[in-house]
Amino acid sequence: VFVDLSRMHEAEVHLRKQRDDALKRLNEAAASFGEVNWRSPKQLAKFFFEHLELDILDMTKKGAPSTAESVLLRLEHSAAKALLDFRSADKNLGTFIEGWKRYIVGDRMHPSFKLHGAVTGRPSCEHPNLQAVPRDQLIRSLITAADGWVLLELDESQIEMRLAAELSGDERLLGAFDPSRHQCCVGVVVAGECPVAQDVDERHQRSSTGPATALFSPGRRAPVSTGWRARRRGGLAGVSSVSGSVFICSSTALGRNG
């Protein structure tokens, strides 16, 4: 994998400045509190909820006040924004700048790809994991094509569901991918209810996460929140579990027009 080394150096300089600026803002906000280890959840909770007396919005599994990203985004204080900026720059530096450097030989990275490394049957990648590159364009721009080459990005559309249709022989699943028919969404029935969603993004989330969870969850009835998208977004509203039976939701049922 070709890496633009000059752009990587520029990104490193930018991220170090961003982290230093955020750290300066944090230390200024904590001037009357004292020294804070900004990577310590315990010290962060004490600073935000005892010193600044901000409302505790969520708790961790162990019962401590949470300072997760979802909480910081809702805290109306400049220190919360500074901490988000610090974490972002620190993460990008540690994982994608300093972390990648040890795998670069010349101007190339040589990650290891496993053709069946994921439980879903999809390929996985490690040393480093190039399948977990953030959407941040500063980081994504580091991987590009060398002079005289073109970088192509290809995506297999609903490959798991297409394989499930082929292997199961289910007529409803096969019909969903019949090119001669209108392409419906693949959905999951939960106790006879269709996961209807009016919002386009929510509808896409429901129709893509549910089937994958039904196929790859460990038990006959598993929480939809085990799906990877649902895990990031806190679950699917109105859909708590799936029975494992996958079927086709009509366009009308999903709130689609045409």
Side-chain angles (χ1 to χ4, degrees):
V1 178
F2 178 79
V3 180
D4 190 325
L5 296 180
S6 62
R7 191 174 296 177
M8 174 176 272
H9 175 71
E10 294 173 0
E12 182 175 5
V13 172
H14 172 78
L15 289 170
R16 289 192 183 282
K17 183 179 185 304
Q18 185 182 57
R19 185 177 63 179
D20 291 345
D21 289 346
L23 186 59
K24 180 180 178 181
R25 287 152 52 202
L26 286 170
N27 289 332
E28 289 175 351
S32 61
F33 176 75
E35 186 176 349
V36 179
N37 178 358
W38 299 106
R39 296 184 179 89
S40 168
K42 185 176 181 179
Q43 292 187 34
L44 290 176
K46 189 173 182 179
F47 170 68
F48 280 108
F49 306 119
E50 294 183 19
H51 178 68
L52 296 181
E53 298 182 340
L54 299 177
D55 292 336
I56 297 175
L57 303 180
D58 284 320
M59 305 294 287
T60 66
K61 291 182 179 180
K62 295 183 178 180
S66 173
T67 55
E69 180 182 0
S70 60
V71 172
L72 295 175
L73 288 170
R74 290 178 285 160
L75 291 179
E76 298 181 358
H77 196 282
S78 58
K81 175 63 167 63
L83 182 57
L84 285 169
D85 292 342
F86 173 80
R87 283 180 173 177
S88 175
D90 194 51
K91 167 70 174 178
N92 286 339
L93 271 171
T95 303
F96 305 110
I97 301 296
E98 297 167 355
W100 281 0
K101 282 182 177 180
R102 62 178 179 268
Y103 298 112
I104 296 177
V105 179
D107 56 9
R108 307 274 175 167
M109 274 194 297
H110 300 273
S112 298
F113 287 93
K114 297 181 178 180
L115 294 181
H116 48 76
V119 68
T120 60
R122 287 191 175 196
S124 65
C125 181
E126 60 183 5
H127 308 310
N129 182 6
L130 295 186
Q131 292 179 325
V133 179
R135 295 184 180 275
D136 188 331
Q137 288 303 309
L138 179 67
I139 302 301
R140 290 209 165 192
S141 66
L142 304 182
I143 300 176
T144 183
D147 291 342
W149 292 81
V150 176
L151 184 64
L152 296 178
E153 180 180 356
L154 305 176
D155 183 33
E156 297 172 320
S157 175
Q158 299 192 45
I159 185 62
E160 291 96 343
M161 298 311 300
R162 292 177 185 273
L163 288 173
E166 179 68 23
L167 294 174
S168 68
D170 187 284
E171 294 182 359
R172 290 168 294 182
L173 280 177
L174 290 169
F177 302 113
D178 186 345
S180 66
R181 296 176 53 186
H182 177 74
Q183 293 296 297
C184 301
C185 288
V186 179
V188 175
V189 172
V190 180
E193 297 179 2
C194 175
V196 180
Q198 297 301 321
D199 179 78
V200 175
D201 290 337
E202 182 185 355
R203 187 166 65 239
H204 173 74
Q205 178 188 352
R206 288 171 181 256
S207 64
S208 60
T209 302
T213 306
L215 285 176
F216 306 117
S217 59
R220 190 177 67 86
R221 293 186 61 83
V224 168
S225 60
T226 57
W228 56 88
R229 286 187 177 87
R231 213 168 39 232
R232 290 207 310 265
R233 303 182 186 181
L236 299 178
V239 182
S240 60
S241 64
V242 295
S243 65
S245 91
V246 181
F247 85 123
I248 306 306
C249 292
S250 67
S251 297
T252 302
L254 284 170
R256 298 178 63 183
N257 296 321

